[in-house]
Amino acid sequence: MRARLLILASAIGSLGWGAVLPYQYAYAADTRDWGALVAAGASSLFSIGALVAAPLAGRLADRFDPVRVAVIAQLLGAAGVASLVFADVPALFLAGMLVFGLGLSAAVPAKQVLALNWSSSDDRRKVFAYKFTGEALGMAAGAFLAGLVVDLDRADGLDIGFMMAAGGFVLSSAIIALAGRLTFAGRLAGGARAAAVAGGPASVSTATGSIGAIDAATGAIAAVDLDGDGHADGAARSRGALRVIFAQPAMRWTAVVTIALALGFYAQFESGLPAYGITVLDVDPSAIGLAAAINCLVIVALQVIVVKLTAKRSAPALLMAVGSIWVVSWLILSAAQFSPGIATALFVTTYGIFAVGETIYSPVLNPLTAQLAPKGMVGQTLGTIAALQTAFSAAGPLVAGVLLGAGLTDVFLGMHVAVSALAVFAAWRIKKALDSAPMPADAGAEPADAVEAADVAGPDATGPDVALPDAAVIVREEPPTTPVDLVRA
């Protein structure tokens, strides 16, 4: 129930993205006559807000209730985008866009942590897949509805889009808060049952919604505090968050995969690919809209099917498949320039092929990142990876503009083939790193008293709530297809 509410809330919250961002450049530059510099500056400040907010909000989600973090962040975004209605000078418009970016992006890692907390190991990929699909549909619906009512010939013509975005954030926050109340009730019930089993009181973690010292509902590797001091992440903070997050090779290569896949498609989706299609392939501008629609339709049609087909595949292997799909897509785009008669068909088809990779990528990356995150830093790690993706995605249009503007089409295409191949290599290195990771001596044992982390995560768990002894070690399994087992030392 909670996961469904989160998916619904994420879809509604994405209305704001679709209702405002596709129109804000033309609104600032032409409608308000503030010029291209202000319009570009608004987009840049929005991205800067995202870069600042995601890691910070991730850390807050680790230390405080992620429900509260997500709700406050989205309400902040609602205030920012609503303020644009009253922005009559460029400075106010730029400030509103910055706050809009801060709120929108700050909610992302908190909602990812909630998706981890509110799903079991068996359905985690499904939850992330539905969440991604819901967000895509929300963005598309926001853009479509705003397109019907926005009038960029009037100074107040985008006000309805601003209010639509603010209303979406508020409604999304209300739904997440409702799901949080269900979580709180589940914690009380779960804690009481665990206490009855153990014959003593059970503590409940406000950060993860789990009982005792268990953080494994998020999929983090070092889920149990073996030192017993409750401050396992203190040393991590003292050594620097980034240093701790990227201390292990698998996490470093996960960052490389994230950057490479972002550069290989997401960075070019809205600007580079359309520019290549129009200026090099000479496709009709209407084909750009058709390609984007095909991309969305393929995601919606295939997401559930792909999740079922890949449920038992390892995350690194699936990321290798995504990188390979990116390589094939860019090779087809490269061949299209030599086939003018079918260039438009190849261009539109490629968007659909990219979408197949997206259906594999979206449910896999965040659970894998959470699995590799240091103890107590799941949210911060997710926020850091999201910030990397945002930063390099924001750099994509600049790269495309420079290369295509200079007539370096072959360099543009070759660079993206190489970047996509790098993603395949990085995913292979993740697999090697995980395969070589040390396992506990009793990792192969399946004692009768082993329990799944999801079993103590609340009312959505499938098994009984069990209080664990203080001395516990974790058997590391790759989520989300296999449970994280906690066994007695």
Side-chain angles (χ1 to χ4, degrees), residues 357-381:
E358 290 183 85
T359 62
I360 301 173
Y361 173 81
S362 58
V364 167
L365 181 66
N366 287 323
L368 176 63
T369 301
Q371 164 75 354
L372 299 173
K375 178 184 172 11
M377 299 179 68
V378 174
Q380 191 169 359
T381 303

Side-chain angles (χ1 to χ4, degrees), residues 18 84 91 137 189 193 213 399 407 419:
L84 297 176
L137 287 174
R193 289 196 299 272
V399 173
V419 165

Side-chain angles (χ1 to χ4, degrees), residues 60 82 148 154 163 200 266 288 336 349 360 370 445:
L60 292 175
L148 296 177
R154 299 170 46 189
M163 297 310 299
Y266 294 105
I288 306 299
T349 301
I360 301 173

Side-chain angles (χ1 to χ4, degrees), residues 191-278:
R193 289 196 299 272
V197 172
S203 62
V204 179
S205 166
T206 58
T208 63
S210 58
I211 298 175
I214 302 170
D215 283 334
T218 61
I221 288 178
V224 179
D225 179 7
L226 299 180
D227 296 331
D229 59 3
H231 301 285
D233 59 337
R237 289 195 297 270
S238 67
R239 286 186 289 153
L242 291 178
R243 179 181 173 187
V244 174
I245 288 172
F246 297 118
Q248 52 180 316
M251 191 71 251
R252 293 195 295 270
W253 285 110
T254 298
V256 174
V257 166
T258 301
I259 293 170
L261 292 179
L263 287 174
F265 173 59
Y266 294 105
Q268 303 301 339
F269 179 77
E270 294 181 350
S271 58
L273 283 171
Y276 171 72
I278 292 173

Side-chain angles (χ1 to χ4, degrees), residues 37 68 85 110 122 131 136-137 180 184 219 240-241 252 266 284 291-292 318 333 350 358 371 408 420 463:
L37 183 61
R68 190 171 304 170
V85 173
D122 291 331
K131 181 173 175 290
L137 287 174
F184 181 74
R252 293 195 295 270
Y266 294 105
D284 190 272
L318 293 176
L333 286 170
T350 302
E358 290 183 85
Q371 164 75 354
L408 300 175
S420 302

Side-chain angles (χ1 to χ4, degrees), residues 157-183:
L158 193 53
D159 286 358
I160 190 168
F162 297 145
M163 297 310 299
M164 185 186 304
F169 279 139
V170 171
L171 180 56
S172 175
S173 298
I175 294 172
I176 292 175
L178 172 63
R181 291 184 65 86
L182 296 177
T183 304

Side-chain angles (χ1 to χ4, degrees), residues 45-437:
L45 283 175
F46 181 88
S47 298
I48 290 172
L51 289 173
V52 172
L56 176 60
R59 183 171 183 178
L60 292 175
D62 289 329
R63 302 184 66 182
F64 303 101
D65 185 356
V67 170
R68 190 171 304 170
V69 174
V71 169
I72 293 174
Q74 292 198 143
L75 292 179
L76 176 66
V81 73
S83 72
L84 297 176
V85 173
F86 309 101
D88 293 326
V89 295
L92 292 178
F93 185 77
L94 293 173
M97 287 297 292
L98 175 62
V99 176
F100 180 28
L102 285 169
L104 181 66
S105 299
V108 171
K111 288 192 287 187
Q112 288 172 343
V113 171
L114 290 175
L116 290 162
N117 290 348
W118 294 348
S119 61
S120 68
S121 58
D122 291 331
D123 66 1
R124 188 155 292 151
R125 285 186 183 174
K126 186 188 301 183
V127 169
F128 273 93
Y130 286 163
K131 181 173 175 290
F132 171 75
T133 302
E135 289 167 350
L137 287 174
M139 290 171 58
F144 175 75
L145 293 174
L148 296 177
V149 296
V150 164
D151 183 0
L152 294 180
D153 293 328
R154 299 170 46 189
D156 61 351
L158 193 53
D159 286 358
I160 190 168
F162 297 145
M163 297 310 299
M164 185 186 304
F169 279 139
V170 171
L171 180 56
S172 175
S173 298
I175 294 172
I176 292 175
L178 172 63
R181 291 184 65 86
L182 296 177
T183 304
F184 181 74
R187 287 178 193 155
L188 294 179
R193 289 196 299 272
V197 172
S203 62
V204 179
S205 166
T206 58
T208 63
S210 58
I211 298 175
I214 302 170
D215 283 334
T218 61
I221 288 178
V224 179
D225 179 7
L226 299 180
D227 296 331
D229 59 3
H231 301 285
D233 59 337
R237 289 195 297 270
S238 67
R239 286 186 289 153
L242 291 178
R243 179 181 173 187
V244 174
I245 288 172
F246 297 118
Q248 52 180 316
M251 191 71 251
R252 293 195 295 270
W253 285 110
T254 298
V256 174
V257 166
T258 301
I259 293 170
L261 292 179
L263 287 174
F265 173 59
Y266 294 105
Q268 303 301 339
F269 179 77
E270 294 181 350
S271 58
L273 283 171
Y276 171 72
I278 292 173
T279 61
V280 178
L281 301 183
D282 197 29
V283 303
D284 190 272
S286 63
I288 306 299
L290 176 61
I294 291 294
N295 180 268
C296 182
L297 289 174
V298 170
I299 290 173
V300 173
L302 296 185
Q303 186 72 85
V304 176
I305 298 173
V306 171
V307 168
K308 290 181 179 179
L309 292 177
T310 61
K312 300 303 179 182
R313 303 290 182 180
S314 71
L318 293 176
L319 291 175
M320 290 173 65
V322 175
S324 300
I325 291 172
W326 268 215
V327 170
V328 171
S329 297
W330 282 104
L331 290 176
I332 293 175
L333 286 170
S334 300
Q337 62 182 318
F338 304 110
S339 306
I342 58 172
T344 298
L346 291 176
F347 181 82
V348 173
T349 301
T350 302
Y351 269 71
I353 298 174
F354 274 122
V356 176
E358 290 183 85
T359 62
I360 301 173
Y361 173 81
S362 58
V364 167
L365 181 66
N366 287 323
L368 176 63
T369 301
Q371 164 75 354
L372 299 173
K375 178 184 172 11
M377 299 179 68
V378 174
Q380 191 169 359
T381 303
L382 289 169
T384 299
I385 294 297
L388 287 174
Q389 185 175 24
T390 300
F392 284 90
S393 294
L398 176 62
V399 173
V402 170
L403 294 178
L404 293 176
L408 300 175
T409 302
D410 292 341
V411 176
F412 173 76
L413 296 169
M415 182 189 73
H416 286 90
V417 172
V419 165
S420 302
L422 174 62
V424 178
F425 175 74
W428 176 76
R429 290 302 300 265
I430 295 173
K431 184 177 186 302
K432 297 290 288 184
L434 292 179
D435 289 344
S436 62

